[in-house]
Amino acid sequence: MMRNISSATEFCLLGFPGSQELHHILFAIFFFFYSVTLMGNTVIIVIVCVDKRLQSPMYFFLGHLSALEIMITSIIMPMLLWGLLLPGMHTVSLAACVTQLFLYLAVGTTEFVLVGAMAVDRYVAVCNPLRYNIIMNSHTCIWVVIVSWVFGFLSEIWPVYATFQFTFCKSNLLDHFFCERGQLLKLSCGDTLFTEFVLFLMAVVIIIGSLAPTIVSYTYIISTILKIPTASGRRKAFSTCASHFTFVVIGYGSCLFLYVKPKQTQAAEYNKIVSLFISVVTPFLNPFIFTLRNDKVKEALRDGMKRCCRLVKD
């Protein structure tokens, strides 16, 4: 443990408490989650690329969302699994810590912007179906994706830079399973109040800013669906939005609890639980949310399985 006035050049991740046997059980559970996440989201990306029935803006965005889910869990899970597998504390360098935090926040921000764009896409599809192909043309979709990625990565440069401008002289023991910002600020011996407030405002702008078009879009969507005279028509219209709406509730709910608060340095146990939900559970659920509630994706999967079986038999 470092006790002088110099800044830490590496951090020791405390990870999860408990015995080695418990760590091995957690390793098996998280490895299963990670494997299913990689396979499920990769399958979605592949079928979106190869199946002509899924060549529409909704599935184009879904392919990018699945790629983001693979990235965000891959940024966290290898370090988490390595820490569970090896006895003792896991050491990570300052450079690796900076890189991990930046990628984690940048990919997460990109995902928020993309999910907001997907809500607007659903609004156009339900409320302006005759103009849908004109408004959501290929050029529009490509630009939406480019803006999402560029904004996500550029917007997190200053927050990460500001975080690592502090001197981490209290300790180099990080009570987390990855380089989480709130726990890093706890180790600083400087006054972090102003930086935490600015980070809070940025979180409000990014999360609430991307949530606002989602709320407005679904307000109009629900209003339009309720005006459809037949129950089958209402059910069909809602089915096109159900998967996205479920993802919005899960994704935004967990991030609002973690980031939209003035005090970033909350309890480590709280941080770990919410971080697990964001980086492990949500990416794991993504393939199930968008396949079990989507008939086109299920049909594409069935046809893909049949083609694979025929290839194996031949």
Side-chain angles (χ1 to χ4, degrees), residues 121-269:
D121 170 71
R122 291 300 84 208
Y123 159 74
V124 178
V126 174
C127 301
N128 294 283
L130 298 179
R131 300 183 61 202
Y132 180 71
N133 291 330
I134 298 173
I135 297 172
M136 300 304 297
N137 57 61
S138 59
H139 294 292
T140 301
C141 294
I142 291 170
W143 273 108
V144 166
V145 168
I146 291 173
V147 169
S148 299
W149 283 86
V150 172
F151 176 80
F153 278 75
L154 291 182
S155 64
E156 294 300 336
I157 293 175
W158 184 86
V160 175
Y161 172 80
T163 300
F164 287 94
Q165 284 301 295
F166 292 104
T167 301
F168 303 107
C169 58
K170 288 183 179 178
S171 170
N172 68 338
L173 298 179
L174 197 62
D175 192 4
H176 215 288
F177 53 82
F178 80 106
C179 294
E180 199 274 329
R181 183 169 63 195
Q183 299 308 306
L184 281 167
L185 292 174
K186 273 188 175 182
L187 303 182
S188 170
C189 48
D191 185 5
T192 63
L193 187 61
F194 176 74
T195 300
E196 288 188 56
F197 180 69
V198 175
L199 293 174
F200 162 71
L201 291 180
M202 291 189 69
V204 169
V205 170
I206 292 171
I207 298 178
I208 304 300
S210 61
L211 183 60
T214 303
I215 294 173
V216 173
S217 296
Y218 274 103
T219 300
Y220 281 104
I221 287 170
I222 293 171
S223 175
T224 301
I225 289 175
L226 292 176
K227 293 177 184 177
I228 298 174
T230 62
S232 61
R234 289 193 296 269
R235 188 162 50 250
K236 183 179 179 181
F238 184 74
S239 67
T240 65
C241 308
S243 300
H244 178 263
F245 184 76
T246 304
F247 186 86
V248 166
V249 172
I250 296 172
Y252 277 95
S254 54
C255 287
L256 284 170
F257 277 111
L258 186 59
Y259 293 115
V260 183
K261 57 170 65 70
K263 192 68 174 174
Q264 296 285 312
T265 54
Q266 61 267 21
E269 292 76 14

Side-chain angles (χ1 to χ4, degrees), residues 49-180:
C49 291
V50 302
D51 198 294
K52 293 182 179 180
R53 288 168 295 185
L54 304 182
Q55 302 301 309
S56 69
M58 175 183 175
Y59 300 107
F60 176 71
F61 293 142
L62 176 58
H64 282 269
L65 180 65
S66 295
L68 288 166
E69 294 288 44
I70 289 174
M71 289 177 65
I72 202 163
T73 195
S74 295
I75 291 165
I76 302 301
M77 286 298 285
M79 187 176 290
L80 186 155
L81 293 172
W82 187 255
L84 289 171
L85 194 60
L86 297 179
M89 292 179 292
H90 182 204
T91 302
V92 58
S93 68
L94 180 63
C97 209
V98 173
T99 303
Q100 185 185 48
L101 180 61
F102 173 72
L103 291 175
Y104 176 75
L105 294 175
V107 171
T109 302
T110 302
E111 191 169 300
F112 280 128
V113 179
L114 187 62
V115 169
M118 291 174 73
V120 176
D121 170 71
R122 291 300 84 208
Y123 159 74
V124 178
V126 174
C127 301
N128 294 283
L130 298 179
R131 300 183 61 202
Y132 180 71
N133 291 330
I134 298 173
I135 297 172
M136 300 304 297
N137 57 61
S138 59
H139 294 292
T140 301
C141 294
I142 291 170
W143 273 108
V144 166
V145 168
I146 291 173
V147 169
S148 299
W149 283 86
V150 172
F151 176 80
F153 278 75
L154 291 182
S155 64
E156 294 300 336
I157 293 175
W158 184 86
V160 175
Y161 172 80
T163 300
F164 287 94
Q165 284 301 295
F166 292 104
T167 301
F168 303 107
C169 58
K170 288 183 179 178
S171 170
N172 68 338
L173 298 179
L174 197 62
D175 192 4
H176 215 288
F177 53 82
F178 80 106
C179 294
E180 199 274 329

